[in-house]
């Protein structure tokens, strides 16, 4: 399973990158706004800065919701860097645009996916990635990881090539469960990635080893 970081914060991207396990980055308009990125030029420059930091797929989301607007924005984003993946919302014109991008050699990540039916449409349109939002499904009282299992099963049975990108990750256990469920990629906040490191027995064991090491010096 590939690891993407789900942020537009350059310091966090750098920290995850330096860990040596980072395969890519996902952003969205909310994450860009959180970093105070304002104006078309600033947004485009920020995507370029991320592409220069990480040699992997970088998802950049369109704002338009009509076919012509999505295509125009997606073409401009894709022209920024070969690693840009155009992130398109799961709406009717979004699906049409994904098919257009597929036919024109531009890779896409279909976002805001909450059902298996939506995931089938993503795959049919040729999206490189489908992004089911695990945490938001959990927040509304359903089980997000079950959706990953269901999509994984359907894609295997049908031979779809779209990669399952588990999104809206809230904690380290989500990452583990998505790996079990067959996600191809997990896009995670830095805290959830670092949370995978932690186990109290590791800390206790290391403290004991370091204490005993003093006896050998
Ligand atoms: C990723 O591509 C999504 O934009 C992101 O994971 C959404 O996460 P949230 O539900 O924490 O906003």
């Amino acid at each position: 399973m590939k690891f993407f970081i789900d942020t537009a914060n350059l310091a966090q991207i750098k920290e995850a990158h330096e860990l040596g396990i980072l395969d890519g980055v996902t952003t969205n308009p909310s994450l860009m706004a959180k970093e105070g990125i304002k104006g078309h030029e600033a947004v485009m420059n920020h995507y370029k800065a991320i592409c220069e930091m990480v040699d992997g797929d970088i998802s950049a989301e369109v704002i338009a919701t009509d076919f012509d607007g999505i295509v125009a924005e997606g073409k401009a984003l894709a022209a920024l860097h070969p690693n840009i993946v155009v992130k398109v919302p799961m709406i009717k014109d979004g699906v049409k645009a994904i098919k257009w991008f597929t036919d024109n050699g531009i890779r896409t990540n279909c976002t805001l996916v909450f059902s298996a039916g939506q995931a089938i449409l993503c795959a049919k349109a040729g999206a490189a990635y489908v992004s089911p939002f695990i945490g938001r499904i959990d927040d509304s009282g359903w089980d997000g990881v079950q959706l990953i299992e269901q999509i994984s099963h359907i894609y295997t049975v049908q031979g779809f090539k779209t990669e399952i990108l588990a999104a809206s990750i809230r904690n380290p256990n989500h990452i583990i469960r998505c790996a079990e469920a067959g996600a191809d990629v997990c896009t995670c906040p830095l805290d959830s990635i670092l949370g995978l490191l932690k186990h109290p027995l590791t800390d206790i064991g290391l403290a004991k080893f370091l204490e005993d090491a003093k006896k050998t010096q």
Side-chain angles (χ1 to χ4, degrees):
M1 186 173 76
K2 287 181 277 188
F3 269 56
F4 289 0
I5 188 166
D6 193 27
T7 185
N9 182 287
L10 298 183
Q12 291 189 11
I13 293 170
K14 183 169 182 282
E15 188 175 341
H17 183 50
E18 285 173 355
L19 201 54
I21 50 83
L22 196 63
D23 300 299
V25 181
T26 53
T27 61
N28 64 38
S30 305
L31 294 171
M32 295 290 275
K34 198 172 157 191
E35 298 309 313
I37 317 296
K38 201 168 166 59
H40 179 71
E41 201 180 329
V43 168
M44 298 305 246
N45 285 339
H46 201 75
Y47 287 138
K48 277 197 256 181
I50 295 173
C51 290
E52 279 158 22
M53 287 174 77
V54 178
D55 185 18
D57 285 350
I58 313 296
S59 287
E61 188 159 343
V62 297
I63 311 299
T65 54
D66 64 292
F67 176 79
D68 290 340
I70 295 172
V71 167
E73 260 187 66
K75 278 160 74 175
L77 289 169
L80 286 176
H81 194 279
N83 288 349
I84 288 279
V85 176
V86 179
K87 208 170 173 191
V88 180
M90 170 36 76
I91 53 176
K92 195 172 177 185
D93 279 26
V95 172
K96 281 169 65 179
I98 289 170
K99 179 68 171 80
W100 187 92
F101 288 128
T102 304
D103 291 344
N104 287 275
I106 293 175
R107 291 176 310 134
T108 53
N109 171 0
C110 186
T111 190
L112 290 167
V113 167
F114 294 91
S115 77
Q118 292 177 326
I120 291 171
L121 285 177
C122 293
K124 288 293 294 175
Y129 297 103
V130 59
S131 285
F133 276 36
I134 303 313
R136 294 192 196 185
I137 292 173
D138 284 5
D139 293 345
S140 58
W142 300 71
D143 183 355
V145 176
Q146 264 182 14
L147 178 59
I148 299 290
E149 286 169 4
Q150 191 182 18
I151 297 171
S152 178
H153 178 70
I154 291 168
Y155 280 14
T156 302
V157 167
Q158 296 296 330
F160 288 138
K161 299 284 177 268
T162 299
E163 290 189 67
I164 302 170
L165 194 168
S168 185
I169 296 295
R170 301 270 191 261
N171 54 56
N173 199 39
H174 266 160
I175 302 175
I176 297 163
R177 291 190 62 215
C178 284
E180 283 178 333
D184 300 291
V185 190
C186 219
T187 188
C188 324
L190 181 62
D191 281 357
S192 298
I193 297 174
L194 297 179
L196 292 172
L197 286 166
K198 290 182 196 155
H199 197 289
L201 290 179
T202 303
D203 299 339
I204 292 166
L206 181 60
K208 175 78 172 122
F209 284 156
L210 293 178
E211 189 58 34
D212 288 344
K214 286 182 197 156
K215 300 172 195 164
T216 69
Q217 284 163 2

